[in-house]
Amino acid sequence: MAMIRALGLGKTFRVADKQPGLAGTLRHFVQRRHRDVPAVRDVSFSVEPGEVVGFLGPNGAGKTTTLKMLTGLIHPSSGSVEVAGFRPQRRQVDFLRRITLVMGNKQQLIWDLPPLDSLRVNAAVYGIDDAEAQRRIRDLAEMLELGEELRRPVRKLSLGQRMKAELLAALLHRPSVLFLDEPTLGLDVNAQARVRSFLAEYNRRYGATLLLTSHYMADITALCPRVLLIHQGSLMHDGSLAELTNRLAPCREVRLELREPLPASTFAAYGTLEDLQGRAVRLLVRRERLTASVARLLAELPVVDLEVAEPPIEELIGQLFRREPAR
Amino acid sequence: MGGPRGAARLLLRFWSASLAAEMEYGVNAAVELLSVLGNLAGSLFVLSLFFRHGHDLGGWSWDQALVVLGIYTLLDGLTSTLLQPNLGALVTHVQKGTLDFVLLKPVDSQFWLSLRIVSPWGLPGVAVGLVLMAVGVVRAGTPPSLPGLALALVVLVAASLLLYSLWFVLAATSIWFVKVWNATEVLRATLVAGRYPISAYPAGLRVLFTFVLPVAFLTTVPAETLLGKASAPAVLAGLLVAGLALGASRLFWIFALRFYTSASS
């Protein structure tokens, strides 16, 4: 049975339609006008238990809105959603015990106290007895490489240490579904890697299902065999990252260095000529013909050096979003 | 949360954590104590002005009026201890978006938001209020019987719940207006009227303080009960108003959450 199932999920917000300036403010005050803005439309997908799924999309694409519908924080305007067999918007206790939400830009730890104090509160919230809580804290702290930091006031921790403590607090009740909204936001490269390997380990050890959004493509490539790409509220891709790359970029770039310059017409038989600078050539070759073309290039032309480049996924997604500018 | 025992354990954790957090800022204690004593001295002075010239204050003797002042001081202390810090935190939760964390806990959100924090700096006010009440009652020469004392306690609890409901509803409006902190300050300032017996005010204000802002039920009615001069209808009305207000705060919170979950982004 699927752990997460969204069917035709949609969310429309009513926003005030106000002209700028004092006159606009007054007019709005007298005669309020609203506009319906669809934030998410007709999104369907399902996630199996134990899957790690990356949620991609530019700012304002509807990622957070979708996450909030999946956790029950906002009610869908249309469609239905089911998580661990529950309807999230009813926020039943048994549902809340199975999930967690981690937000990279918001924190639940008590600012003036060491994380351990917040953890004690959370243990009581979830009805975990002290011995069991101690054991879980020890296990998770070890996985997160947290030690003395748990006894220092949160306000004195670095961003990376704080995020790790946040993760500990969010996972003390051992949820089976994790929703992570930008869990590595603002962290340095090392801390990002630590959080990443922790999430992978948590998934492996407890068989938990993870759905995470991130701006850092490294998070997605390292953690998520499957990605959902959402753009302007609609789901544009559901599959592996490699499939997404192929869909967005059906061609590979072949860079050649020749022994001597050749006329441009020579290259038409191998691919599309992108650039020709004396002995340096750049060709675009369709993926399915790549092997054959490379073999022929090496056999038929005086090649000194040959390199095949995969276009970086960030750039491809960036191009996609630029092609269809947000409203 | 696991029943009453779970709730008690959680409350204990809540409060030990917030006390620990407050201890990070020790100077507050002195300041708060000073402010309680300063306020009290002011109130006592005003009261004494009335009585020096043989006025009685709307049919209340000096000692009886002390009981009213004591109850006001007690409620104000409770406000500083529980209402102000928790409902201030609710406003902050809405502003920062951390209300989501509270809503995702398997704990009643109104319970969490009303009792999560305890601030010890209001406790001097509570203590001073209790002393003032005791002194007033003893000096007035009408010590209540045991059942009378029990009834007075019930009425006092009802008054506290009424006060809580007013605060909670006001703080909950932050879901729409975000910045409501000033409104709770206005409420607090208005409730200062409860320092003196309600009959000391002109007729118009009396109506306002009974039916619009239920100041009468916060201090005067509990004081009357304690002094054995309360009418049965007044006590019943006090209990009824408190019950209704508490129920209304619950319904209002459910309504506010429904708005939050349908409109927030």
Side-chain angles (χ1 to χ4, degrees):
Chain A
M1 200 191 81
M3 193 54 117
I4 303 173
R5 185 179 296 144
L7 204 69
L9 201 56
K11 180 69 192 175
T12 303
F13 292 115
R14 297 203 82 187
V15 296
D17 201 4
K18 184 180 104 51
Q19 299 296 313
L22 181 62
T25 303
L26 288 176
R27 204 172 306 130
H28 180 68
F29 189 76
V30 179
Q31 188 186 13
R32 282 179 190 272
R33 282 170 54 184
H34 294 275
R35 202 155 51 90
D36 287 338
V37 177
V40 174
R41 28 188 162 187
D42 198 24
V43 167
S44 302
F45 62 91
S46 89
V47 178
E48 294 303 311
E51 262 196 281
V52 182
V53 177
F55 212 7
L56 292 176
N59 290 332
K63 287 176 303 201
T64 302
T65 304
T66 305
L67 277 192
K68 285 191 167 190
M69 285 194 278
L70 295 176
T71 51
L73 286 169
I74 60 180
H75 295 193
S77 312
S78 59
S80 68
V81 55
E82 203 181 279
V83 175
F86 294 88
R87 283 179 55 216
Q89 60 265 41
R90 296 173 65 188
R91 285 194 287 119
Q92 288 148 295
V93 167
D94 286 334
F95 165 71
L96 297 177
R97 291 177 165 281
R98 278 183 177 74
I99 65 150
T100 202
L101 173 66
V102 176
M103 295 180 274
N105 56 349
K106 291 170 193 169
Q107 58 157 23
Q108 63 164 319
L109 296 172
I110 304 167
W111 186 246
D112 286 317
L113 294 180
L116 272 181
D117 286 275
S118 299
L119 294 174
R120 279 165 53 85
V121 170
N122 274 10
V125 164
Y126 291 99
I128 306 166
D129 70 54
D130 289 342
E132 175 65 17
Q134 293 268 318
R135 200 163 57 236
R136 291 189 190 182
I137 292 171
R138 205 182 46 231
D139 289 353
L140 287 167
E142 198 179 303
M143 286 165 75
L144 282 160
E145 297 174 42
L146 275 172
E148 265 312 294
E149 295 90 343
L150 292 178
R151 298 176 196 284
R152 253 185 279 150
V154 172
R155 62 168 192 272
K156 294 190 176 150
L157 299 181
S158 73
L159 194 58
Q161 292 166 337
R162 212 156 71 207
M163 193 60 225
K164 290 196 290 181
E166 281 286 333
L167 280 168
L168 211 174
L171 298 174
L172 192 63
H173 60 292
R174 214 166 271 171
S176 47
V177 189
L178 279 60
F179 298 99
L180 305 131
D181 196 8
E182 303 279 349
T184 53
L185 193 70
L187 303 188
D188 65 42
V189 179
N190 284 333
Q192 276 180 34
R194 194 79 39 80
V195 167
R196 235 175 262 149
S197 60
F198 167 77
L199 291 175
E201 171 77 5
Y202 187 90
N203 163 257
R204 204 180 50 73
R205 199 180 282 194
Y206 301 110
T209 311
L210 271 68
L211 186 58
L212 82 144
T213 74
S214 180
H215 268 98
Y216 303 110
M217 201 50 71
D219 287 347
I220 306 289
T221 47
L223 282 172
C224 310
R226 174 179 167 201
V227 296
L228 300 172
L229 177 69
I230 190 167
H231 182 38
Q232 295 185 353
S234 302
L235 196 60
M236 296 190 63
H237 176 80
D238 178 356
S240 72
L241 199 58
E243 283 165 21
L244 179 63
T245 316
N246 292 339
R247 238 182 80 187
L248 294 180
C251 292
R252 293 287 181 276
E253 189 181 74
V254 177
R255 294 179 198 151
L256 295 172
E257 193 189 328
L258 302 172
R259 203 169 299 127
E260 66 239 24
L262 291 171
S265 56
T266 323
F267 303 101
Y270 307 96
T272 314
L273 185 63
E274 211 183 9
D275 189 41
L276 175 64
Q277 306 258 338
R279 297 188 301 123
V281 186
R282 288 197 296 150
L283 287 174
L284 283 177
V285 181
R286 291 194 70 82
R287 239 174 1 96
E288 59 273 17
R289 288 172 42 202
L290 186 64
T291 330
S293 290
V294 168
R296 284 180 49 218
L297 281 166
L298 290 171
E300 296 165 11
L301 299 180
V303 175
V304 176
D305 192 19
L306 184 144
E307 186 185 356
V308 179
E310 185 165 317
I313 183 79
E314 274 105 331
E315 211 168 280
L316 291 175
I317 291 176
Q319 279 169 12
L320 173 74
F321 298 148
R322 273 193 298 278
R323 258 207 315 269
E324 294 166 65
R327 285 147 301 151
Chain B
M1 206 156 53
R5 274 188 56 198
R9 177 170 177 242
L10 180 56
L11 210 52
L12 203 67
R13 289 284 162 87
F14 274 171
W15 290 359
S16 70
S18 55
L19 286 179
E22 287 289 340
M23 291 310 159
E24 297 272 310
Y25 304 98
V27 186
N28 264 350
V31 174
E32 189 67 31
L33 190 61
L34 275 180
S35 108
V36 167
L37 293 177
N39 271 331
L40 188 66
S43 310
L44 284 174
F45 176 69
V46 172
L47 261 190
S48 71
L49 286 183
F50 280 110
F51 288 98
R52 185 155 31 170
H53 304 292
H55 286 293
D56 71 346
L57 200 56
W60 291 65
S61 72
W62 159 255
D63 296 319
Q64 290 173 330
L66 277 188
V67 177
V68 177
L69 186 58
I71 292 176
Y72 168 78
T73 311
L74 173 84
L75 289 181
D76 198 49
L78 281 178
T79 302
S80 303
T81 308
L82 283 172
L83 302 185
Q84 199 173 28
N86 281 298
L87 305 175
L90 167 54
V91 177
T92 314
H93 276 314
V94 173
Q95 281 172 348
K96 291 192 174 171
T98 46
L99 185 60
D100 292 345
F101 287 123
V102 178
L103 297 182
L104 290 184
K105 294 282 190 288
V107 173
D108 184 83
S109 54
Q110 190 172 1
F111 175 86
W112 177 297
L113 294 166
S114 305
L115 293 168
R116 159 70 188 78
I117 306 170
V118 66
S119 163
W121 318 132
L123 292 178
V126 173
V128 168
L130 285 172
V131 168
L132 220 52
M133 282 159 65
V135 168
V137 167
V138 169
R139 286 179 42 135
T142 49
S145 62
L146 210 58
L149 200 63
L151 181 64
L153 195 68
V154 170
V155 175
L156 256 178
V157 169
S160 313
L161 289 175
L162 172 60
L163 182 61
Y164 156 76
S165 307
L166 290 175
W167 268 81
F168 188 74
V169 166
L170 213 51
T173 56
S174 61
I175 297 259
W176 290 272
F177 306 122
V178 184
K179 293 179 196 164
V180 294
W181 202 229
N182 295 336
T184 54
E185 283 304 313
V186 170
L187 178 69
R188 197 169 190 178
T190 316
L191 295 181
V192 168
R195 284 181 198 209
Y196 310 114
I198 205 76
S199 52
Y201 292 97
L205 281 181
R206 240 179 283 163
V207 171
L208 179 74
F209 289 153
T210 307
F211 296 106
V212 184
L213 286 159
V215 175
F217 296 111
L218 291 177
T219 54
T220 305
V221 173
E224 283 172 348
T225 315
L226 202 54
L227 291 164
K229 60 187 260 181
S231 66
V235 169
L236 279 179
L239 297 180
L240 191 70
V241 167
L244 285 177
L246 195 61
S249 81
R250 183 70 190 173
L251 289 178
F252 187 74
W253 180 238
I254 292 170
F255 172 67
L257 276 187
R258 196 172 304 156
F259 177 83
Y260 181 80
T261 52
S262 68
S264 72
S265 53

